[in-house]
């Protein structure tokens, strides 16, 4: 399942992806963790995986597609939220006029994988 909160918080923002791994047998658990480990970091305090995305380049789109495939393959729960850029962030960020928040919101509302956005 994927969801996206609204609205985006400021003129500069990041897409914060929070992931909760699904329970699975040992083999499927390790397969799921391999996918999550390849695109996110684990926080033992919250028992969640997470990543920030500030630009839609090829690497980010591949990471997002892996994350959108995880719910279908493993039952993983993915939550997308626009987040303010932390002072320590060194990477690129989205801007409010980019329209990306709207794109992610539409995708999440229709519960489609990123690769299945409608053609306009």
């Amino acid at each position: 399942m994927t969801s996206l909160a609204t609205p985006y918080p400021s003129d500069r923002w990041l897409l914060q992806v929070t992931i909760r791994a699904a329970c699975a047998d040992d083999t499927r658990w390790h397969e799921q963790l391999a996918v999550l480990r390849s695109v996110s970091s684990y926080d033992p305090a919250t028992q969640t995986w997470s990543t920030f995305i500030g630009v839609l380049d090829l690497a980010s789109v591949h990471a997002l597609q892996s994350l959108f495939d995880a719910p279908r393959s493993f039952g993983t729960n993915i939550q997308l939220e626009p987040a303010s850029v932390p002072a320590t962030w060194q990477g690129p960020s989205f801007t409010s006029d980019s329209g990306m928040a709207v794109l992610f919101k539409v995708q999440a509302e229709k519960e489609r994988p990123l690769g299945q956005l409608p053609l306009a």
Side-chain angles (χ1 to χ4, degrees):
M1 179 174 100
T2 58
S3 60
L4 177 65
T6 58
Y8 47 84
S10 69
D11 288 341
R12 290 184 59 235
W13 59 279
L14 301 171
L15 181 63
Q16 180 178 1
V17 183
T18 305
I19 306 121
R20 292 198 183 277
C23 295
D25 65 46
D26 204 37
T27 301
R28 297 287 290 163
W29 175 256
H30 290 291
E31 290 172 0
Q32 178 181 206
L33 294 187
V35 170
L36 298 179
R37 201 174 283 125
S38 72
V39 293
S40 59
S41 302
Y42 184 70
D43 178 8
T46 62
Q47 297 184 344
T48 61
W49 296 80
S50 65
T51 191
F52 287 100
I53 295 174
V55 64
L56 279 184
D57 58 8
L58 188 57
S60 297
V61 170
H62 282 291
L64 281 169
Q65 189 62 62
S66 293
L67 291 169
F68 280 101
D69 289 343
R72 263 191 315 233
S73 299
F74 307 106
T76 311
N77 182 285
I78 309 288
Q79 181 177 355
L80 306 174
E81 296 180 282
S84 296
V85 176
T88 57
W89 181 256
Q90 298 294 318
S93 60
F94 295 111
T95 58
S96 62
D97 60 355
S98 71
M100 293 310 302
V102 173
L103 173 66
F104 286 120
K105 182 178 182 315
V106 167
Q107 188 281 324
E109 284 176 353
K110 301 207 180 215
E111 297 183 16
R112 286 189 295 247
L114 185 63
Q116 293 180 6
L117 289 172
L119 299 174

